[in-house]
Amino acid sequence: MTVLFLILAALTLTGAAAAMTLRRLVHCALALTVAFAGLATLYLALDAQFAGLAQLLVYVGAIAILIVFAILLTPGSSEKDTPVGGSSSLVGVALALGTFAVIAWAVSKSKLGHPGLISAAPEATMQQIGTALIEHYVLPLEVIGLMLTAALIGAAILAMKESQTPR
Amino acid sequence: MTSLTAYLLVSALLFSIGLAGALTRRSAILVLAGVELMLNAANLNFIAFWRFGPHPEALTGLIFVVFSIAVAAAEAAVGLALIVAVYRQAKTSDVSEIVEMKG
């Protein structure tokens, strides 16, 4: 556990907490982008270059922009404070805390971190990942391509104006 | 505390933050953001187990994360399109005000 890890983890968690607590939606989107970028750097710190760069491209590049678009396309919701209050939000926070307590208890009880398990940095070049995708994971790759196409067409149809459809 | 434990605890915290946000926020967009944070916490777990696991040369965790990112992208696109479509009908994206499904 290094200083770098502590800084990156603090950045990611602060960004995530800010995204879930700030009042204005645009600020939330910005904080969410910080959290996604922090996660990408955490992947890079774990020697997963491809996953880190994919995270940067997809989340920081695409999903953050998509969320900003959605905020700007739904005016009124971006200006209004969304204060959380009442018993339902207390229940939500209590559930989240309970979930964290259970996971942390399970992690601390497990024998995962014994020193023999920790190896040197594994080799995962782009070439190896590409070969694995083409040789072992061809079918999932094709399925994911089909699913992305279907999802994008579906999203476009959903967001289209409904002027032609009979009511 | 070893590195794997530290990463798992960060991931658990991230999941809890996402869960708390998804359960307590009123804006549908932020509920979706909370779900995205939970997905990302799972991805961090996959990467950490791949990095510190006994067989990192198999690349299984890494490939799973790549597919998971693709699925999350599709989910975000469809989810935000749904929110925009609902907003056009209900004139709000507040999940506590959208109480009927009739258009």
Side-chain angles (χ1 to χ4, degrees):
Chain A
M1 200 162 65
T2 58
V3 180
L4 179 71
F5 167 75
L6 287 178
I7 293 171
L8 293 181
L11 183 77
T12 308
L13 292 175
T14 313
M20 292 293 113
T21 49
L22 287 178
R23 294 283 170 118
R24 296 195 54 162
L25 283 184
V26 178
H27 297 173
C28 295
L30 280 176
L32 198 68
T33 312
V34 171
F36 287 154
L39 263 168
T41 53
L42 273 178
Y43 293 170
L44 292 178
L46 278 170
D47 303 306
Q49 279 89 0
F50 184 73
L53 294 178
Q55 165 93 5
L56 210 59
L57 268 176
V58 174
Y59 276 98
V60 183
I63 290 185
I65 304 294
L66 212 57
I67 287 176
V68 171
F69 266 124
I71 290 171
L72 297 181
L73 279 174
T74 55
S77 58
S78 58
E79 296 302 319
K80 194 176 59 182
D81 285 350
T82 51
V84 289
S87 58
S88 62
S89 77
L90 273 180
V91 171
V93 171
L95 267 177
L97 281 177
T99 309
F100 174 69
V102 168
I103 298 175
W105 174 78
V107 167
S108 65
K109 280 284 175 187
S110 66
K111 303 275 195 302
L112 285 172
H114 69 86
L117 216 57
I118 289 155
S119 50
E123 283 277 312
T125 59
M126 299 283 180
Q127 192 184 1
Q128 280 175 304
I129 293 169
T131 312
L133 274 177
I134 289 301
E135 283 181 353
H136 290 93
Y137 304 99
V138 171
L139 193 61
L141 191 69
E142 299 293 331
V143 170
I144 215 95
L146 197 64
M147 191 210 66
L148 276 175
T149 313
L152 291 185
I153 294 174
I157 289 174
L158 275 176
M160 237 171 9
K161 286 222 188 299
E162 299 183 36
S163 53
Q164 296 95 343
T165 52
R167 298 295 309 275
Chain B
M1 193 153 78
T2 58
S3 315
L4 178 58
T5 322
Y7 277 104
L8 292 185
L9 284 178
V10 168
S11 160
L13 258 177
L14 201 63
F15 185 90
S16 310
I17 291 171
L19 183 63
L23 288 178
T24 56
R25 292 312 294 256
R26 288 189 175 170
S27 165
I29 296 168
L30 280 177
V31 173
L32 197 72
V35 174
E36 290 289 332
L37 278 180
M38 288 193 272
L39 268 168
N40 271 294
N43 284 354
L44 182 60
N45 260 7
F46 275 121
I47 297 269
F49 276 120
W50 164 78
R51 171 66 179 78
F52 298 109
H55 298 293
E57 71 279 357
L59 296 178
T60 321
L62 206 55
I63 301 284
F64 204 111
V65 166
V66 172
F67 284 126
S68 164
I69 287 176
V71 172
E75 176 244 325
V78 175
L80 291 173
L82 273 175
I83 290 171
V84 170
V86 166
Y87 177 83
R88 211 172 274 145
Q89 293 281 342
K91 301 287 169 237
T92 180
S93 63
D94 188 332
V95 285
S96 58
E97 283 177 25
I98 302 166
V99 288
E100 58 182 28
M101 294 185 81
K102 211 172 135 193

